[in-house]
Amino acid sequence: MSNAINICMIDDDDIYQFTMKLSLKPLDDIGIVNAFNDGLAAIDYIKNHIDNPQKLPDIIFLDINMPVMDGYQFIEEYRKIKSKFDKNIVIYMLSSSIDPVDVKKVKHIDEVSDYLIKPIKKEVLKTIFKDFKEN
Amino acid sequence: LKHVDEALKSKTFKKFTHHIIKPDNTLITLEVNGKVLTDNQGDITAIFGTSQDITEREKKELELIEKNQQLNLAEEIANIGYWVLNLETQKFDWSDNTYRIFDFDIGTPMYLDILLSRVPIEEHVSIKEKINTFIKTKKFKKFTHGLKHNNKSLRTIEVVGKVITNEQNEAIEFVGSSRDITEELKIQEKILATNKSLEESAIKLSAQNKQLAEFNQISSHNLRAPVGNLKALLSLYNDSENQDERKEIFSKFETVIDHLSLTLDTLVESLKIKNIPNKDVQKLFFKDTLTKTKEILTAEILKTGAIIKSDFSIKNYVKYNQIYLESIFLNLIGNAIKYRSPERTPKINITSDIIDNKVILRIKDNGLGIDLKKHGHKLFGLNKVFHRHPEAQGIGLFLTKAQIETMGGSIYAESEVNTGTTFHIILN
């Protein structure tokens, strides 16, 4: 159980959520998979489970463009609460945009491990999990 | 000797000049003046006279003539005419070129009244006022006036000058020059027109640039997402061995393709609006457009109990493209109902206004509101949605903005979360 990796997907694109869930299926050691349609819903979830790190995600796949609270605004809120829980969450920011402005902006965010362009290939997903287990 | 003979015959002495060569070989000119003396019988008794060296004077006179000729030439070339106006007699002293500029025969005695007869009548009062002011202040200020030539062509003359005063410090004369600047003005106008058209091109170009950047942004964000989804679905479909799963994946294809075609249709629509501006403009009464909009939205209005009020007393019509105006009304009022607050009955207030001769339309609601600090920059973007609303597609405002801009107007919003939103539309 402690080896299981909790996944959180924050994206307003339901089709993307569907493909991600299917892609995760064949992988081993997947724990809780949460899907949220915007940043605010995800922040609310984290706040509600702040004392229960086992329920918190290990990896967050965060979309940039979303209603209500977008990816950047999520990071701002996340910064305010990250000292309150005992877990090192890995965040990947993703978008279908190949706009260099977005890429550059994301590279400057400390909390974010990398910028991924949608759709995420199977190989990339595998590498992400392999990296996570090794660290 | 001939001159002496003549003097002897006519018994009068006529002034003459002759040259002599001095011992140092220089040529000098002498002017001889004389008188014939006669006795009572009229017989000549003596001729006496003086010889004066006028070499220098002659030289000076020649120089003066030459200078004058040069000056005349310069006047002609520069289209300038010099003049002196005696303020007491109102008589002008004109240079030859002044006559040419004002199109009078050279040498005609010239008075202020005669000159004014060539100036358009509506300028007379102001010119006379100017002259009086110059006399009073003893300062001549540059001015321009119109001038009709004999062939009826209208010229523009620029006048500069100076006031000459006597010892009592009274203005006695104006001296100055008049210049025909008609051609110059024409060139100036041409330059200004060229400048204006250059500016217009620059504006058009930067608008096109903006459009391209927008299109770039749209294709980078809005087209890549569904295409990416299609790719992901295809790969999952190929990997899947479960028939039920395959069926489920396949049904998602339909959703993405629908989304993709809607995005493409919207893009094409927006390009159509922007590139073939529909200038089919007619007089439209706001009241009629609102009635039509309410009819279309009948179901929504009944279901939500929305109260729609309007006041078009400041301006009750606009000259606009009918399809666009109806689309603007439908989109904005439709949005006001769609993004209503669940806690309040939707109230929508539509008013017209005129600011700087432009017709303004305001649509105010008491709905959910938008945090413009966070979302303001993408309010009118394609596929941008701001609420967790199942019907939000992010197309309405994108097209509304394109329609308003193509008619030369603009749109902006004021909003407060949970209080409401007001859209301001500057129609033209």
Side-chain angles (χ1 to χ4, degrees):
Chain A
M1 186 66 196
S2 60
N3 279 339
I5 303 165
N6 292 346
I7 308 291
C8 173
M9 297 181 290
I10 311 172
D11 199 309
D12 60 328
D13 183 342
D14 291 330
I15 299 290
Y16 159 80
Q17 301 265 30
F18 173 79
T19 61
M20 273 296 272
K21 276 180 194 163
L22 274 191
S23 308
L24 292 171
K25 244 187 187 174
L27 298 171
D28 302 324
D29 305 325
I30 300 294
I32 304 163
V33 177
N34 285 119
F36 303 103
N37 278 319
D38 58 69
L40 187 61
I43 284 287
D44 286 345
Y45 176 84
I46 295 172
K47 279 181 180 167
N48 287 336
H49 298 86
I50 221 155
D51 300 321
N52 193 359
Q54 278 195 327
K55 296 260 179 164
L56 289 179
D58 294 289
I59 301 176
I60 294 177
F61 294 102
L62 176 65
D63 185 33
I64 293 179
N65 291 305
M66 283 175 295
V68 187
M69 184 190 281
D70 69 16
Y72 299 119
Q73 291 157 358
F74 172 84
I75 293 289
E76 276 173 40
E77 292 301 312
Y78 175 77
R79 259 183 213 141
K80 291 180 198 163
I81 57 167
K82 69 172 179 178
S83 61
K84 293 180 186 163
F85 54 82
D86 181 30
K87 192 159 194 173
N88 196 15
I89 301 178
V90 180
I91 301 176
Y92 289 94
M93 233 166 158
L94 34 108
S95 166
S96 41
S97 160
I98 45 170
D99 191 339
V101 178
D102 281 335
V103 180
K104 214 175 152 188
K105 208 170 158 187
V106 170
K107 295 271 187 225
H108 283 97
I109 305 174
D110 290 338
E111 284 79 5
V112 175
S113 297
D114 207 352
Y115 179 82
L116 307 173
I117 289 167
K118 289 199 281 191
I120 304 170
K121 292 200 175 96
K122 274 184 292 187
E123 299 74 31
V124 177
L125 211 53
K126 275 180 188 156
T127 316
I128 288 170
F129 284 94
K130 210 176 132 224
D131 283 356
F132 183 82
K133 282 176 188 167
E134 280 166 10
N135 293 323
Chain B
L1 280 175
K2 198 179 79 197
H3 290 284
V4 178
D5 275 350
E6 232 183 85
L8 288 174
K9 267 187 220 149
S10 66
K11 290 171 196 169
T12 55
F13 197 97
K14 273 192 187 146
K15 182 168 82 177
F16 67 94
T17 61
H18 67 93
H19 299 106
I20 59 165
I21 298 166
K22 289 214 292 192
D24 63 358
N25 252 346
T26 54
L27 186 76
I28 61 165
T29 311
L30 293 177
E31 187 182 84
V32 185
N33 260 314
K35 214 176 166 147
V36 180
L37 288 185
T38 52
D39 59 14
N40 290 341
Q41 281 80 45
D43 292 333
I44 295 165
T45 55
I47 300 175
F48 71 90
T50 55
S51 283
Q52 195 188 356
D53 181 351
I54 57 155
T55 317
E56 277 306 304
R57 203 179 87 199
E58 213 176 33
K59 227 168 109 191
K60 285 268 152 59
E61 274 173 4
L62 259 169
E63 271 174 23
L64 207 64
I65 289 167
E66 219 168 90
K67 282 261 160 63
N68 230 338
Q69 277 169 350
Q70 282 173 358
L71 203 63
N72 277 334
L73 194 66
E75 276 187 275
E76 230 179 300
I77 291 168
N79 242 335
I80 291 179
Y82 291 102
W83 49 261
V84 177
L85 174 65
N86 184 314
L87 291 171
E88 197 192 338
T89 60
Q90 306 258 301
K91 190 176 191 298
F92 271 115
D93 213 349
W94 276 8
S95 72
D96 289 356
N97 207 45
T98 312
Y99 281 100
R100 281 187 208 109
I101 286 172
F102 289 111
D103 197 20
F104 284 96
D105 291 333
I106 293 172
T108 320
M110 192 49 60
Y111 292 87
L112 188 60
D113 282 349
I114 305 176
L115 172 62
L116 280 176
S117 69
R118 286 284 175 85
V119 174
I121 192 118
E122 61 272 16
E123 293 183 33
H124 288 194
V125 173
S126 102
I127 289 179
K128 280 178 181 158
E129 272 171 9
K130 279 194 183 90
I131 290 173
N132 286 336
T133 314
F134 298 159
I135 292 171
K136 243 186 254 161
T137 59
K138 314 213 167 46
K139 271 207 179 102
F140 196 102
K141 277 196 180 150
K142 184 165 89 174
F143 69 97
T144 60
H145 64 82
L147 183 84
K148 280 175 287 188
H149 271 191
N150 269 329
N151 63 8
K152 306 281 181 228
S153 76
L154 187 72
R155 317 289 296 178
T156 306
I157 311 291
E158 184 183 80
V159 192
V160 290
K162 217 178 158 173
V163 181
I164 306 292
T165 52
N166 61 13
E167 281 142 17
Q168 284 81 48
N169 197 28
E170 294 162 340
I172 48 165
E173 271 178 359
F174 290 165
V175 294
S177 65
S178 294
R179 195 157 64 95
D180 187 331
I181 56 166
T182 316
E183 302 305 322
E184 244 174 79
L185 280 181
K186 268 187 205 156
I187 293 167
Q188 255 178 39
E189 267 166 36
K190 235 183 226 166
I191 291 173
L192 282 178
T194 313
N195 229 349
K196 210 180 148 217
S197 87
L198 270 176
E199 269 169 29
E200 277 166 8
S201 309
I203 291 170
K204 240 185 227 164
L205 270 176
S206 82
Q208 273 171 3
N209 244 346
K210 213 181 123 202
Q211 253 187 54
L212 272 175
E214 261 176 38
F215 191 77
N216 214 353
Q217 171 90 357
I218 287 165
S219 47
S220 160
H221 283 89
N222 301 89
L223 293 176
R224 284 187 57 85
V227 171
N229 278 339
L230 285 179
K231 267 193 199 163
L233 286 171
L234 191 64
S235 144
L236 288 168
Y237 186 81
N238 288 334
D239 290 349
S240 175
E241 278 151 20
N242 178 330
Q243 203 54 40
D244 284 345
E245 198 177 83
R246 285 191 139 198
K247 252 189 196 159
E248 198 188 355
I249 296 170
F250 202 81
S251 75
K252 302 285 180 194
F253 272 114
E254 222 175 308
T255 316
V256 181
I257 288 165
D258 281 351
H259 177 70
L260 190 58
S261 26
L262 181 65
T263 302
L264 278 174
D265 286 349
T266 311
L267 260 183
V268 170
E269 181 65 32
S270 82
L271 288 177
K272 250 202 269 171
I273 292 168
K274 281 174 184 169
N275 292 333
I276 320 158
N278 195 339
K279 298 290 182 198
D280 185 12
V281 166
Q282 48 181 306
K283 190 173 175 175
L284 302 165
F285 287 92
F286 291 128
K287 201 181 72 167
D288 300 340
T289 310
L290 181 61
T291 307
K292 210 166 169 182
T293 309
K294 279 186 189 165
E295 278 165 18
I296 298 170
L297 293 171
T298 306
E300 284 88 342
I301 294 169
L302 279 176
K303 203 175 74 187
T304 59
I307 299 160
I308 300 176
K309 281 185 182 164
S310 62
D311 180 359
F312 301 127
S313 54
I314 294 177
K315 180 85 181 171
N316 64 351
Y317 73 93
V318 68
K319 285 182 180 139
Y320 215 71
N321 177 294
Q322 185 176 2
I323 296 166
Y324 290 174
L325 191 69
E326 284 171 5
S327 154
I328 292 164
F329 266 73
L330 186 64
N331 262 315
L332 292 175
I333 296 171
N335 273 354
I337 298 175
K338 198 196 269 182
Y339 301 113
R340 65 189 174 274
S341 163
E343 293 150 20
R344 295 184 286 273
T345 305
K347 278 183 191 156
I348 301 155
N349 204 10
I350 304 143
T351 52
S352 62
D353 200 355
I354 295 179
I355 295 174
D356 294 337
N357 279 325
K358 289 175 174 174
V359 182
I360 317 276
L361 197 65
R362 291 197 186 90
I363 299 179
K364 183 178 187 247
D365 67 49
N366 63 345
L368 292 169
I370 311 159
D371 187 342
L372 290 176
K373 259 190 221 138
K374 283 184 185 168
H375 304 295
H377 60 292
K378 43 191 184 181
L379 186 55
F380 300 99
L382 176 60
N383 286 5
K384 301 290 184 203
V385 293
F386 309 98
H387 303 98
R388 290 173 186 158
H389 195 287
E391 285 163 51
Q393 285 181 314
I395 284 174
L397 285 182
F398 175 75
L399 287 183
T400 299
K401 183 172 179 261
Q403 287 167 340
I404 291 167
E405 283 179 350
T406 202
M407 297 298 290
S410 58
I411 177 167
Y412 67 95
E414 285 175 303
S415 187
E416 204 175 311
V417 174
N418 221 5
T419 303
T421 307
T422 306
F423 281 97
H424 301 255
I425 304 114
I426 296 140
L427 287 173
N428 53 26

